[in-house]
């Protein structure tokens, strides 16, 4: 009888153990949420400052805008390049929205011309971030240079998929179209030639139409 009770007691103990779960560590969970919130505020502060025209915001300025200490900024990001890489991710996300849109034109020439208006919208959104990242890239290189190379490669791949095989294989044609549809061309028209967006689109459309009309 004693043995039976002992075994029964063990069964109850095992059942109770299996159903017991440790209480969540509320303090750790709270610290994690505060850390995530701080990181998000730092990134948003950086984006806001660049959008407002700050080409190269200092870490102290970012910290002040985010409402955190300077040490907190560098606890989340080992250097300012890391913050610029976050902006690179934002730029890529903007372009992905352009990529995801279905084309309306039925022929490749019409789709290439659609790329002009699509990219003009995306480029206008990302211009302050692209200029800031470009300045940092020229000063530092490294990871930002790799991000920029990926940005260029993605844009070239989109164009290559729009073109028919024979047009994509025509190296002078492809490179000329890639140049006209690049951010660099858009930025030159908008900043150096001082054209409003509509005029910049018209200039690119004229050049691209002439080029592909001869293909």
């Amino acid at each position: 009888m004693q043995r039976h009770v002992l075994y029964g007691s063990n069964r109850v103990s095992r059942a109770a153990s299996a159903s017991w779960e440790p209480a969540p560590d509320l303090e750790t969970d709270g610290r994690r949420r505060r850390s995530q919130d701080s990181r998000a505020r730092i990134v948003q502060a950086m984006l806001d400052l660049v959008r407002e025209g700050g080409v190269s915001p200092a870490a102290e300025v970012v910290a002040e805008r985010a409402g955190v200490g300077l040490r907190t900024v560098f606890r989340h990001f080992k250097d300012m390049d890391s913050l610029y890489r976050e902006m690179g991710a934002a730029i890529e996300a903007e372009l992905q929205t352009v990529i995801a849109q279905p084309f309306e034109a039925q022929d490749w020439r019409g789709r290439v011309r659609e790329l002009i208006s699509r990219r003009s919208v995306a480029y206008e959104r990302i211009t302050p971030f692209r200029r800031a990242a470009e300045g940092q890239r020229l000063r530092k290189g490294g990871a930002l240079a790799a991000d920029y190379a990926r940005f260029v490669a993605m844009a070239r791949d989109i164009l290559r998929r729009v073109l028919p095989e024979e047009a994509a294989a025509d190296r002078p044609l492809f490179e000329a179209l890639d140049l006209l549809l690049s951010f660099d061309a858009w930025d030159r028209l908008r900043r150096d030639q001082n054209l409003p967006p509509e005029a910049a689109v018209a200039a690119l459309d004229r050049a691209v139409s002439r080029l592909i009309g001869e293909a």
Side-chain angles (χ1 to χ4, degrees):
M1 177 66 70
Q2 185 178 4
R3 189 173 179 178
H4 175 72
V5 171
L6 177 63
Y7 285 165
S9 174
N10 282 344
R11 283 196 295 270
V12 171
S13 176
R14 284 196 296 271
S17 176
S19 63
W20 178 85
E21 293 182 0
D25 189 337
L26 298 180
E27 183 178 351
T28 300
D29 201 39
R31 283 199 302 267
R32 186 180 299 113
R33 283 198 298 269
R34 288 193 296 273
S35 177
Q36 291 170 345
D37 178 65
S38 293
R39 182 184 176 89
R41 283 191 286 128
I42 292 166
V43 173
Q44 188 59 52
M46 181 69 169
L47 292 171
D48 289 343
L49 287 165
V50 172
R51 188 180 289 113
E52 292 165 11
V55 176
S56 184
E60 293 83 358
V61 177
V62 175
E64 183 179 358
R65 173 65 71 92
V68 301
L70 185 59
R71 290 180 61 184
T72 301
V73 172
F74 289 111
R75 189 162 59 244
H76 287 282
F77 301 96
K78 64 178 183 179
D79 51 32
M80 291 303 288
D81 276 6
S82 302
L83 266 174
Y84 279 96
R85 294 199 75 183
E86 289 279 344
M87 290 200 305
I91 290 171
E92 190 168 327
E94 286 284 357
L95 288 183
Q96 289 297 339
T97 63
V98 176
I99 296 170
Q101 297 175 15
F103 286 101
E104 295 181 4
Q106 299 300 310
D107 65 301
W108 71 268
R109 288 180 174 83
R111 290 171 184 164
V112 170
R113 294 181 67 183
E114 275 186 51
L115 278 179
I116 299 171
S117 57
R118 287 186 181 200
R119 291 191 181 187
S120 70
V121 173
Y123 288 161
E124 281 295 291
R125 292 176 186 167
I126 70 172
T127 288
F129 310 116
R130 182 71 265 154
R131 288 176 181 171
E134 176 69 3
Q136 186 76 355
R137 179 180 73 88
L138 293 174
R139 287 191 295 273
K140 297 289 189 69
L144 288 176
D147 284 348
Y148 182 72
R150 189 173 68 252
F151 174 87
V152 172
M154 181 175 65
R156 286 169 65 86
D157 184 60
I158 295 169
L159 175 61
R160 190 173 285 111
R161 284 188 274 123
V162 168
L163 296 175
E165 186 175 345
E166 62 274 13
D170 184 336
R171 185 68 181 272
L173 174 63
F174 179 84
E175 298 299 343
L177 286 172
D178 184 50
L179 174 63
L180 289 170
L181 294 169
S182 68
F183 176 80
D184 304 271
W186 179 258
D187 198 39
R188 167 69 185 269
L189 289 169
R190 293 282 288 116
R191 179 167 54 175
D192 299 329
Q193 296 177 218
N194 202 30
L195 294 181
E198 298 79 7
V201 168
L204 291 172
D205 187 71
R206 172 74 64 87
V208 167
S209 297
R210 292 288 181 88
L211 193 61
I212 61 180
E214 300 170 1

